[in-house]
Amino acid sequence: YLNLAPGRYVFHVKAANSDGIWNETPVSLIIVISPPWYLTGWAYGLYALLLAGAGYAFYRVQLRRKLERAEADRLKEMDEFKSRFFTNISHEFRTPLTVILGVTEQLNTEVAPALQSKTNLVHRSGKNLLRLVNQILDLAKLESITLKINYVQGDVQTYLRYITESLHSLANAQNVMLRVERKEAEIVMDYDPERLLQIVHNLLSNAIKFTPSGGRVTIHTALRNTEGTEHLELRVSDTGGGIPPEDLPHLFDRFFQARNQEFATSGGTGIGLSLTKELVKAMGGRISVQSEVGKGSTFIVELPVRKDSERLAVGGGQLAVGGEQLAVGGGHVLREVSDSPLTPHSSPLAPHPSLLIIEDNPDVVEYLRACLELDYQLEYAYNGRAGIEKALEIIPDIVISDVMMPEKNGFEVCETLKYDERTSHIPIVLLTAKATVEDRISGLQRGADAYMAKPFHRNELMAVLGNLIELRQKLQQRYASAQSALPPASDAGVQMEDAFLLRFRQIVEARLDDSSLTGEDVCRRLGMSYSVVYRKLSALTGRSLNVYIRLIRLQKAAELLSDLSLSVSEIAYQTGFNDPKFFSRVFAEEFKATPTEFRKKHSK
């Protein structure tokens, strides 16, 4: 009875004893054989659940795949549409840009020399815009695999050195040292001059843009042997703010911008590095980046060294680099710089209000100079920190500042100057491309008197500056009489100037009878230099420092004249005038009446 199937059995037994007598009624034994656990009912139930779960999971996976495929198709379609859109609109841009560049070239030969700087500015800006448009078109060509790589054979070291030299003016404007380091004196290989120019120009201009004033950008070239293949290694290193680690995997994605824009001296589009990677890939190379936040970044380009093409012939043509032309020929590149960088200067016309321009873009500075130099005495600063130092040094009548700048941004400049007693009276205009409502509110909250968006109209800028100067003249009228009790002001800026003049008055009145009190004494008590107090007081009251001190003395004398027990001479001595005749003369000039006539008029 071994190996019985699971179930319930009845075992009947009929037996005989040793005498052969059988039992009349058989004995029954019930035997139950249980099935193994994997054949029980609950096991079958579990099998059913597992089968149902597997079916549901399979359904979910298939559904997710369909959704992912549909989403991928949708994204691909959107990306293709975006690429077609950018390609089409870029082609449309080229037509008016060609007209602009052609007309400015023609005008440059016809207009007076004084206007040539303006036409050159338009021409350089048009070239820069055309370069950006060409980058978008190159991306589209790379996507459609229609971009041709035109190799020539030549000394790539010489070519790279001259590309680097073409960016020295940009580096100098940012106060950045640009160096070229190389191990080999000459590296002859196949390269596409135009594509290599785009790669190196993008990497170097990015490095300069993200390197603070006083920093260093280095391009290092060397030959490397990787897996039996010789490569040209280009390393572009900077001492900028670095790139956050979480941004490194996406750095070469199109339109991606790392979260280190506070270190940038100008804005970007997120196209340059994407195009650079695609060009390097099209030339059979690879690009990588190493970065540490706070210490800088290094971009590494490896290009295979081949010598299959013909040597570069003489008369190779020209390649555009920003606002410059590089003439390529015979293995050499000759720079033809269109304009020298803007040299800061001040207008010699002293009667004009002084205006400090804090802007890091030389082209914008030149345009502002062209707009304002006839009406204002101009001073310049090329980053936020230098702008603050310049403002504290010269105490200008008005400040125009960009927002996105190295060292200190425009908001920090505004906040610093408005909360410094020496410069709190200066009107500040923030001029920037950041024109959202939040940006305007942020600027105005930091004390900006006006906020203008780029591009701006010259007449609008002149009107804003004129209104601010008119408001400053009204403020001068408020303080012109040197009254001891000024009407209450609701504006926080006016309250700050009221407090300054009240402190100034208290210092003078504390030594009112001291005829030896000078402007230098008052400045020492204020804790400011003589020139700073002089310029601030002139801006607020329209009077010089010593004249304003005398005005406070005369104002106090006018109050004392109501006391008939004091003679005019006694009042003169009590208010710091040693000569009563001089006192009477200057009193009459200020109040249009002699002290005696003033007393008679006000004692009635």
Side-chain angles (χ1 to χ4, degrees):
Y1 294 100
L2 298 176
N3 300 321
L4 291 175
R8 185 174 180 276
Y9 297 88
V10 179
F11 184 70
H12 301 280
V13 177
K14 188 175 182 182
N17 58 16
S18 56
D19 295 328
I21 300 174
W22 292 85
N23 58 321
E24 295 181 0
T25 304
V27 177
S28 299
L29 176 64
I30 298 175
I31 299 175
V32 177
I33 298 176
S34 300
W37 65 268
Y38 49 84
L39 294 179
T40 59
W42 60 266
Y44 285 116
L46 181 60
Y47 298 153
L49 288 175
L50 289 175
L51 185 61
Y56 180 73
F58 179 77
Y59 167 76
R60 293 285 301 189
V61 168
Q62 291 298 108
L63 179 62
R64 185 168 63 252
R65 286 179 179 175
K66 289 182 180 179
L67 292 175
E68 288 175 352
R69 193 179 300 112
E71 180 68 11
D73 292 340
R74 187 181 69 84
L75 291 176
K76 183 179 178 182
E77 185 178 348
M78 287 182 62
D79 191 58
E80 290 175 353
F81 171 78
K82 185 169 60 177
S83 297
R84 287 196 304 271
F85 170 77
F86 277 115
T87 302
N88 293 337
I89 200 170
S90 297
H91 278 293
E92 295 298 324
F93 280 146
R94 293 183 64 139
T95 301
L97 281 173
T98 303
V99 175
I100 292 171
L101 293 174
V103 172
T104 51
E105 283 184 354
Q106 182 181 1
L107 286 175
N108 201 36
T109 61
E110 299 176 356
V111 299
L115 296 175
Q116 286 182 356
S117 62
K118 298 178 181 178
T119 56
N120 285 334
L121 172 61
V122 175
H123 197 72
R124 283 202 309 276
S125 298
K127 282 184 176 179
N128 288 333
L129 184 56
L130 185 59
R131 181 173 57 83
L132 294 174
V133 169
N134 287 335
Q135 284 188 348
I136 296 175
L137 291 174
D138 286 343
L139 274 174
K141 290 178 182 177
L142 283 166
E143 282 186 342
S144 59
I145 321 178
T146 58
L147 183 71
K148 293 182 66 177
I149 305 296
N150 301 309
Y151 286 107
V152 295
Q153 188 181 137
D155 178 16
V156 73
Q157 291 280 47
T158 303
Y159 185 61
L160 291 172
R161 179 162 52 86
Y162 278 97
I163 294 176
T164 306
E165 285 183 4
S166 72
L167 287 163
H168 272 304
S169 59
L170 174 63
N172 291 337
Q174 306 293 344
N175 191 28
V176 172
M177 183 172 66
L178 182 57
R179 295 176 51 192
V180 179
E181 296 178 353
R182 56 182 182 175
K183 285 188 175 182
E184 292 79 8
E186 182 182 80
I187 299 177
V188 177
M189 61 177 286
D190 294 347
Y191 65 94
D192 183 330
E194 185 176 356
R195 305 309 169 195
L196 187 59
L197 170 66
Q198 288 177 291
I199 292 169
V200 177
H201 185 273
N202 279 335
L203 294 178
L204 285 178
S205 58
N206 260 2
I208 294 171
K209 181 173 72 171
F210 285 93
T211 301
S213 177
R216 184 177 68 256
V217 173
T218 304
I219 176 171
H220 178 86
T221 61
L223 286 175
R224 295 279 185 266
N225 196 297
T226 307
E227 298 175 357
T229 304
E230 198 172 35
H231 285 81
L232 169 68
E233 182 184 81
L234 302 176
R235 285 179 173 263
V236 177
S237 305
D238 63 69
T239 57
I243 303 166
E246 60 270 20
D247 288 344
L248 290 176
H250 310 287
L251 197 59
F252 297 103
D253 293 349
R254 196 175 310 173
F255 308 115
F256 177 80
Q257 290 183 292
R259 284 166 289 184
N260 61 345
Q261 298 302 307
E262 68 273 14
F263 301 112
T265 58
S266 60
T269 59
I271 295 177
L273 287 179
S274 176
L275 175 62
T276 299
K277 180 183 178 181
E278 295 297 332
L279 289 174
V280 170
K281 184 178 178 181
M283 296 172 70
R286 58 186 177 184
I287 184 171
S288 59
V289 59
Q290 300 171 354
S291 184
E292 186 174 350
V293 175
K295 292 188 177 181
S297 306
T298 299
F299 286 83
I300 305 167
V301 176
E302 292 180 280
L303 297 174
V305 175
R306 291 190 288 258
K307 298 179 182 179
D308 302 326
S309 304
E310 295 182 2
R311 292 284 295 190
L312 187 63
V314 177
Q318 290 187 337
L319 300 174
V321 182
E324 302 176 344
Q325 292 288 332
L326 295 181
V328 184
H332 300 285
V333 186
L334 307 177
R335 290 181 65 218
E336 299 174 4
V337 185
S338 60
D339 268 345
S340 58
L342 177 67
T343 302
H345 75 284
S346 298
S347 170
L349 303 177
H352 293 322
S354 61
L355 188 150
L356 173 62
I357 297 173
I358 308 174
E359 169 65 62
D360 61 315
N361 188 313
D363 288 343
V364 177
V365 173
E366 185 172 342
Y367 179 64
L368 287 171
R369 184 181 70 181
C371 292
L372 304 171
E373 63 182 348
L374 297 180
D375 300 295
Y376 295 91
Q377 182 180 356
L378 300 180
E379 297 286 345
Y380 305 93
Y382 291 93
N383 63 62
R385 188 181 299 279
I388 293 173
E389 294 172 356
K390 191 80 169 181
L392 294 173
E393 176 190 350
I394 66 173
I395 312 297
D397 294 311
I398 197 164
V399 171
I400 294 179
S401 175
D402 189 19
V403 170
M404 299 300 293
M405 291 184 296
E407 302 287 336
K408 297 275 188 181
N409 62 40
F411 293 148
E412 292 173 303
V413 169
C414 187
E415 199 166 19
T416 300
L417 296 182
K418 283 298 184 179
Y419 285 96
D420 193 305
E421 194 174 37
R422 296 167 289 180
T423 54
S424 57
H425 65 285
I426 302 174
I428 299 177
V429 179
L430 292 180
L431 192 67
T432 178
K434 297 183 70 176
T436 64
V437 174
E438 292 78 8
D439 292 324
R440 291 176 181 269
I441 292 174
S442 182
L444 295 173
Q445 285 176 340
R446 285 171 167 83
D449 296 85
Y451 198 109
M452 294 185 63
K454 297 176 184 177
F456 58 90
H457 195 279
R458 179 184 182 277
N459 292 339
E460 181 187 7
L461 177 63
M462 297 300 290
V464 168
L465 295 177
N467 289 339
L468 290 176
I469 291 176
E470 185 178 346
L471 289 174
R472 199 55 52 184
Q473 290 171 347
K474 291 180 180 179
L475 195 61
Q476 287 182 356
Q477 296 173 6
R478 172 183 174 86
Y479 300 129
S481 62
Q483 298 174 355
S484 58
L486 292 166
S490 57
D491 185 85
V494 177
Q495 291 173 3
M496 194 170 182
E497 310 313 333
D498 288 353
F500 169 77
L501 290 177
L502 179 60
R503 193 154 65 95
F504 187 99
R505 182 182 182 88
Q506 290 171 345
I507 292 171
V508 174
E509 289 182 348
R511 294 176 57 183
L512 196 66
D513 59 347
D514 185 358
S515 60
S516 65
L517 178 69
T518 63
E520 288 83 354
D521 297 330
V522 178
C523 293
R524 279 194 292 271
R525 292 292 304 277
L526 287 170
M528 301 181 188
S529 69
Y530 183 91
S531 60
V532 168
V533 177
Y534 183 91
R535 292 190 182 101
K536 182 176 179 71
L537 205 62
S538 298
L540 288 176
T541 67
R543 299 174 187 261
S544 67
L545 199 157
N546 289 323
V547 170
Y548 196 73
I549 292 175
R550 190 178 70 187
L551 181 61
I552 294 174
R553 295 181 186 275
L554 293 174
Q555 183 69 31
K556 189 64 177 179
E559 295 177 11
L560 293 175
L561 284 171
S562 61
D563 186 353
L564 300 178
S565 64
L566 297 173
S567 67
V568 173
S569 297
E570 289 175 327
I571 293 173
Y573 291 125
Q574 287 187 19
T575 54
F577 291 94
N578 290 331
D579 186 354
K581 290 184 179 180
F582 176 73
F583 165 71
S584 297
R585 180 166 61 83
V586 295
F587 189 93
E589 290 175 356
E590 182 64 35
F591 295 101
K592 310 305 179 186
T594 65
T596 304
E597 292 171 346
F598 187 88
R599 170 175 277 178
K600 289 179 180 179
K601 182 179 180 181
H602 289 81
S603 61
K604 293 180 181 180

